[in-house]
Amino acid sequence: SAVISQKPSRDICQRGTSLTIQCQVDSQVTMMFWYRQQPGQSLTLIATANQGSEATYESGFVIDKFPISRPNLTFSTLTVSNMSPEDSSIYLCSVMTGNHEQFFGPGTRLTVL
Amino acid sequence: AQSVAQPEDQVNVAEGNPLTVKCTYSVSGNPYLFWYVQYPNRGLQFLLKYITGDNLVKGSYGFEAEFNKSQTSFHLKKPSALVSDSALYFCAVRDDNYGQNFVFGPGTRLSVLP
């Protein structure tokens, strides 16, 4: 298994500002992902964070809005840029281990006013 | 592309009774199937997976799931429900033809009544 921490756990932000979410894993992992989840709803994959190269974004998500860094195999950041109320959501970091299991961080609950 | 359906938004069951949470999937290649549980204000927790081998897989907290290839289903089951099992349950699939991405179902809210 993997233990994942995220910072901040929650934040309230003003529209037009940006927030950077940090994800730290207790072991080196190759595959790291960022998801978005509306409370009580399903998860939507934003992007795969690639170590040493640009992130791979899913349809509907772009680098200018959600820049991602992955400086090493245990850490990644997701920035939500130029925020609007529609960006209010829970943002989840996850990693996949070698036996196909995916583990999730506790999430960052973002509210944009 | 892969997809997952969970036909029931809500499942109610009395404590001590068996529970089933349904999941069907669609893939072009071989499916890797997973169940996750999310308790209120918590992250997702891995319950169990099917990759290959026995169709009946056992997981955490007494849960099990049966892979049925002909019906493209992977229903989650537990013989005797506990009130503490009340949570949001997600089925997920990964298609080995489409890399590492998981697709999650819409979720089923399980309520176990005392």
Side-chain angles (χ1 to χ4, degrees):
Chain A
S1 66
V3 177
I4 304 168
S5 60
Q6 285 184 236
K7 290 184 195 178
S9 59
R10 58 177 61 224
D11 207 343
I12 301 173
C13 301
Q14 297 297 320
R15 69 170 66 213
T17 63
S18 297
L19 176 71
T20 295
I21 303 167
Q22 299 179 9
C23 177
Q24 180 74 54
V25 189
D26 68 341
S27 57
Q28 292 187 339
V29 291
T30 303
M31 305 299 297
M32 191 177 256
F33 306 96
W34 287 98
Y35 287 86
R36 186 166 71 182
Q37 183 188 25
Q38 296 293 334
Q41 298 187 24
S42 189
L43 284 73
T44 301
L45 181 63
I46 297 172
T48 302
N50 302 308
Q51 196 270 327
S53 64
E54 194 171 281
T56 306
Y57 289 85
E58 297 300 303
S59 176
F61 297 96
V62 295
I63 188 171
D64 289 346
K65 176 66 176 178
F66 296 101
I68 288 170
S69 78
R70 180 90 192 269
N72 56 54
L73 293 176
T74 64
F75 186 78
S76 178
T77 67
L78 168 75
T79 299
V80 186
S81 303
N82 189 24
M83 288 184 285
S84 66
E86 292 71 35
D87 294 321
S88 298
S89 191
I90 300 168
Y91 291 85
L92 294 160
C93 169
S94 78
V95 302
M96 190 160 71
T97 61
N99 56 357
H100 308 285
E101 294 174 13
Q102 193 169 175
F103 295 92
F104 288 83
T108 296
R109 185 179 291 264
L110 172 63
T111 302
V112 183
L113 303 178
Chain B
Q2 63 267 45
S3 65
V4 180
Q6 293 180 241
E8 299 157 318
D9 293 335
Q10 173 91 35
V11 170
N12 297 321
V13 63
E15 187 175 28
N17 283 1
L19 69 86
T20 298
V21 183
K22 296 180 181 177
C23 172
T24 59
Y25 65 90
S26 175
V27 296
S28 60
N30 293 314
Y32 296 170
L33 294 155
F34 307 83
W35 276 101
Y36 288 83
V37 59
Q38 187 174 37
Y39 297 99
N41 300 312
R42 302 273 295 276
L44 275 75
Q45 295 180 32
F46 170 81
L47 274 180
L48 51 79
K49 67 181 178 185
Y50 171 82
I51 305 298
T52 186
D54 290 342
N55 290 342
L56 182 65
V57 294
K58 294 185 183 297
S60 307
Y61 312 121
F63 284 93
E64 59 187 30
E66 185 165 13
F67 170 62
N68 188 318
K69 187 173 183 178
S70 63
Q71 297 186 4
T72 61
S73 67
F74 190 58
H75 301 331
L76 181 70
K77 300 182 180 184
K78 187 173 182 180
S80 178
L82 300 173
V83 172
S84 57
D85 293 328
S86 299
L88 190 55
Y89 289 80
F90 292 100
C91 182
V93 67
R94 182 161 79 82
D95 184 340
D96 70 352
N97 276 354
Y98 285 92
Q100 307 294 331
N101 294 355
F102 283 49
V103 172
F104 284 80
T108 298
R109 187 165 299 280
L110 173 67
S111 292
V112 181
L113 309 173

